[in-house]
Amino acid sequence: IDANMAGYNTAFVAAPSPFADINNPTIAEINAVIDEVNSDVALAELVEDLNGDGNSTPLTSEQLKDIEGVTGVVDADIADYNAVFVAAPSPFVDIDNPTVAEINAIIASVNAINELVEDLNGDTNATALTAEQLKDIQGVTGVVDADIADYNAAFVAAPSPFADINNPAVAEINAVIASVNAINELVEDLNGDA
């Protein structure tokens, strides 16, 4: 990344050296330095955004992917990630030191919500929300893996359990889960399991 060239050069000559042999750095060592600088720059941009976005430049999907350890980034969802990153209350324990685990939890939650929204709007990708994705949605509780088909059926039922199918609230999702769990428990009890 051209904009990070000064950072690369500083890291290349840092002490201690990032290279086992300063006279013969390997491609892997060079790439490791580049990746680390890119990650540091991306994290700095995220911290800047979390502290008011003074430069008016939101984190890009490429920057988010540059953060070492971050996984699951969907380029089309960057605006959603950024909205959650800066939401109040903050999803980060310390906005000056966001962890990769916190970032990945947000990404997984956004991805799961977006899959649910896609399902609520006709499931054109023919991929139903999984129990693991449902559990990834921050604030969702009570998920029983074996009941995922029932949750999915209830999510897309008519009339919709959601006031806005393009913006399902966690409380609405939890209400569907609780309802399905209660119905499944009743069915189990009616079939002789007390």
Side-chain angles (χ1 to χ4, degrees):
I1 300 173
D2 290 346
N4 296 348
M5 193 56 70
Y8 305 145
N9 287 329
T10 300
F12 289 149
V13 297
S17 176
F19 307 115
D21 178 355
I22 63 172
N23 294 315
N24 192 20
T26 67
I27 297 295
E29 290 172 325
I30 294 168
N31 284 334
V33 170
I34 290 170
D35 290 346
E36 185 173 333
V37 169
N38 290 347
S39 180
D40 291 347
V41 168
L43 269 173
E45 178 59 36
L46 176 58
V47 168
E48 187 273 334
D49 291 352
L50 297 175
N51 284 281
D53 194 21
N55 69 3
S56 300
T57 305
L59 187 71
T60 67
S61 61
E62 285 308 311
Q63 287 173 315
L64 187 53
K65 290 180 205 174
D66 282 342
I67 299 172
E68 290 181 26
V70 166
T71 60
V73 176
V74 176
D75 291 345
D77 294 341
I78 190 63
D80 296 333
Y81 304 139
N82 280 325
V84 175
F85 289 153
V86 299
S90 177
F92 300 102
V93 172
D94 179 357
I95 63 172
D96 293 319
N97 293 297
T99 68
V100 169
E102 290 171 321
I103 296 166
N104 280 336
I106 292 165
I107 291 168
S109 182
V110 167
N111 291 350
I113 290 262
N114 287 347
E115 179 59 38
L116 176 58
V117 167
E118 192 275 335
D119 291 352
L120 296 174
N121 283 281
D123 193 22
T124 56
N125 72 1
T127 303
L129 186 70
T130 67
E132 215 40 57
Q133 288 173 311
L134 187 54
K135 290 182 214 174
D136 283 340
I137 298 172
Q138 294 182 334
V140 165
T141 60
V143 176
V144 176
D145 290 1
D147 294 341
I148 190 62
D150 296 332
Y151 302 139
N152 280 325
F155 290 149
V156 298
S160 176
F162 303 104
D164 178 357
I165 65 171
N166 294 309
N167 192 21
V170 170
E172 293 171 317
I173 296 168
N174 281 334
V176 170
I177 292 168
S179 177
V180 167
N181 290 350
I183 290 168
N184 286 349
E185 182 61 34
L186 176 62
V187 168
E188 186 178 300
D189 291 347
L190 292 172
N191 284 296
D193 183 35

Short mmCIF file of all heavy atoms in Angstrom, two decimals, residues 5 11 17 25 38 57 67 69 78 102-103 112 114 137 149 167 171 183 187 189:
data_model
loop_
_atom_site.label_atom_id
_atom_site.label_comp_id
_atom_site.label_asym_id
_atom_site.label_seq_id
_atom_site.Cartn_x
_atom_site.Cartn_y
_atom_site.Cartn_z
N MET A 5 4.18 3.34 2.86
CA MET A 5 5.59 3.17 2.52
C MET A 5 6.53 3.67 3.63
O MET A 5 7.50 2.99 3.98
CB MET A 5 5.93 3.87 1.21
CG MET A 5 7.28 3.48 0.65
SD MET A 5 7.50 1.69 0.41
CE MET A 5 6.40 1.38 -0.93
N ALA A 11 9.85 0.24 9.73
CA ALA A 11 9.84 -1.11 10.30
C ALA A 11 11.01 -1.94 9.80
O ALA A 11 11.56 -2.77 10.54
CB ALA A 11 8.52 -1.80 9.99
N SER A 17 16.07 -5.96 14.54
CA SER A 17 15.71 -6.13 13.14
C SER A 17 14.65 -7.22 12.98
O SER A 17 14.70 -8.25 13.65
CB SER A 17 16.94 -6.52 12.33
OG SER A 17 16.57 -6.78 10.98
N PRO A 25 17.37 -10.48 3.63
CA PRO A 25 16.01 -10.70 4.13
C PRO A 25 15.22 -11.60 3.18
O PRO A 25 15.36 -11.50 1.96
CB PRO A 25 15.42 -9.29 4.18
CG PRO A 25 16.23 -8.48 3.23
CD PRO A 25 17.60 -9.11 3.21
N ASN A 38 0.62 -2.84 7.83
CA ASN A 38 -0.75 -2.66 7.33
C ASN A 38 -1.76 -2.87 8.45
O ASN A 38 -2.75 -2.13 8.56
CB ASN A 38 -1.03 -3.62 6.17
CG ASN A 38 -0.27 -3.25 4.91
OD1 ASN A 38 0.30 -2.17 4.79
ND2 ASN A 38 -0.25 -4.17 3.97
N THR A 57 -12.76 9.69 7.35
CA THR A 57 -12.47 8.58 6.44
C THR A 57 -12.74 7.27 7.17
O THR A 57 -11.94 6.86 8.02
CB THR A 57 -10.99 8.62 5.98
OG1 THR A 57 -10.73 9.89 5.41
CG2 THR A 57 -10.70 7.53 4.97
N ILE A 67 -6.08 -6.17 9.24
CA ILE A 67 -5.84 -6.35 10.67
C ILE A 67 -5.57 -7.82 10.93
O ILE A 67 -6.41 -8.68 10.63
CB ILE A 67 -7.02 -5.83 11.51
CG1 ILE A 67 -7.22 -4.33 11.27
CG2 ILE A 67 -6.79 -6.13 13.00
CD1 ILE A 67 -8.47 -3.76 11.91
N GLY A 69 -5.45 -11.37 12.09
CA GLY A 69 -6.36 -12.19 12.87
C GLY A 69 -7.83 -11.96 12.57
O GLY A 69 -8.68 -12.72 13.01
N ILE A 78 -19.21 -3.57 4.69
CA ILE A 78 -18.33 -2.66 5.42
C ILE A 78 -19.10 -1.53 6.10
O ILE A 78 -18.79 -1.15 7.23
CB ILE A 78 -17.17 -2.11 4.54
CG1 ILE A 78 -16.15 -1.36 5.41
CG2 ILE A 78 -17.69 -1.26 3.40
CD1 ILE A 78 -15.44 -2.19 6.45
N GLU A 102 -12.92 -8.94 19.69
CA GLU A 102 -14.09 -8.05 19.65
C GLU A 102 -14.46 -7.72 18.20
O GLU A 102 -15.64 -7.72 17.84
CB GLU A 102 -13.80 -6.76 20.41
CG GLU A 102 -13.70 -6.92 21.92
CD GLU A 102 -13.19 -5.67 22.61
OE1 GLU A 102 -12.28 -4.99 22.08
OE2 GLU A 102 -13.69 -5.38 23.72
N ILE A 103 -13.46 -7.43 17.39
CA ILE A 103 -13.71 -7.11 15.98
C ILE A 103 -14.35 -8.30 15.28
O ILE A 103 -15.34 -8.16 14.56
CB ILE A 103 -12.39 -6.69 15.28
CG1 ILE A 103 -11.85 -5.39 15.88
CG2 ILE A 103 -12.61 -6.54 13.78
CD1 ILE A 103 -10.41 -5.06 15.50
N ALA A 112 -24.23 -12.55 10.38
CA ALA A 112 -25.40 -13.36 10.72
C ALA A 112 -26.70 -12.57 10.56
O ALA A 112 -27.68 -13.08 10.00
CB ALA A 112 -25.27 -13.90 12.14
N ASN A 114 -27.15 -10.07 8.59
CA ASN A 114 -27.36 -9.87 7.16
C ASN A 114 -27.86 -11.14 6.48
O ASN A 114 -28.66 -11.06 5.54
CB ASN A 114 -26.09 -9.34 6.50
CG ASN A 114 -25.86 -7.88 6.85
OD1 ASN A 114 -26.73 -7.21 7.38
ND2 ASN A 114 -24.67 -7.37 6.57
N ILE A 137 -25.00 -13.65 16.68
CA ILE A 137 -25.65 -12.35 16.77
C ILE A 137 -25.55 -11.86 18.21
O ILE A 137 -26.03 -12.52 19.14
CB ILE A 137 -27.11 -12.41 16.30
CG1 ILE A 137 -27.17 -12.83 14.82
CG2 ILE A 137 -27.80 -11.06 16.51
CD1 ILE A 137 -28.58 -13.10 14.31
N ALA A 149 -34.02 -25.42 12.40
CA ALA A 149 -35.03 -25.46 11.32
C ALA A 149 -36.33 -24.81 11.79
O ALA A 149 -36.99 -24.09 11.01
CB ALA A 149 -35.27 -26.89 10.87
N ASN A 167 -34.52 -4.88 9.27
CA ASN A 167 -33.82 -4.46 10.47
C ASN A 167 -34.36 -5.22 11.69
O ASN A 167 -34.93 -4.61 12.59
CB ASN A 167 -33.97 -2.95 10.66
CG ASN A 167 -33.04 -2.41 11.71
OD1 ASN A 167 -32.03 -3.02 12.04
ND2 ASN A 167 -33.39 -1.26 12.28
N ALA A 171 -34.23 -8.17 20.28
CA ALA A 171 -35.36 -8.54 21.14
C ALA A 171 -36.39 -9.36 20.36
O ALA A 171 -36.96 -10.32 20.89
CB ALA A 171 -36.02 -7.28 21.72
N ILE A 183 -42.71 -23.89 22.55
CA ILE A 183 -43.55 -24.81 21.77
C ILE A 183 -42.91 -26.19 21.71
O ILE A 183 -43.58 -27.21 21.91
CB ILE A 183 -43.81 -24.25 20.36
CG1 ILE A 183 -44.75 -23.03 20.45
CG2 ILE A 183 -44.40 -25.33 19.44
CD1 ILE A 183 -44.85 -22.24 19.16
N VAL A 187 -44.49 -29.66 23.10
CA VAL A 187 -44.64 -30.86 22.25
C VAL A 187 -43.94 -32.05 22.89
O VAL A 187 -44.47 -33.17 22.92
CB VAL A 187 -44.10 -30.60 20.83
CG1 VAL A 187 -43.98 -31.89 20.03
CG2 VAL A 187 -45.00 -29.60 20.10
N ASP A 189 -43.35 -32.48 26.08
CA ASP A 189 -44.12 -32.87 27.26
C ASP A 189 -45.38 -33.64 26.85
O ASP A 189 -45.74 -34.64 27.50
CB ASP A 189 -44.52 -31.66 28.08
CG ASP A 189 -43.33 -30.99 28.77
OD1 ASP A 189 -42.23 -31.61 28.80
OD2 ASP A 189 -43.49 -29.87 29.27
#
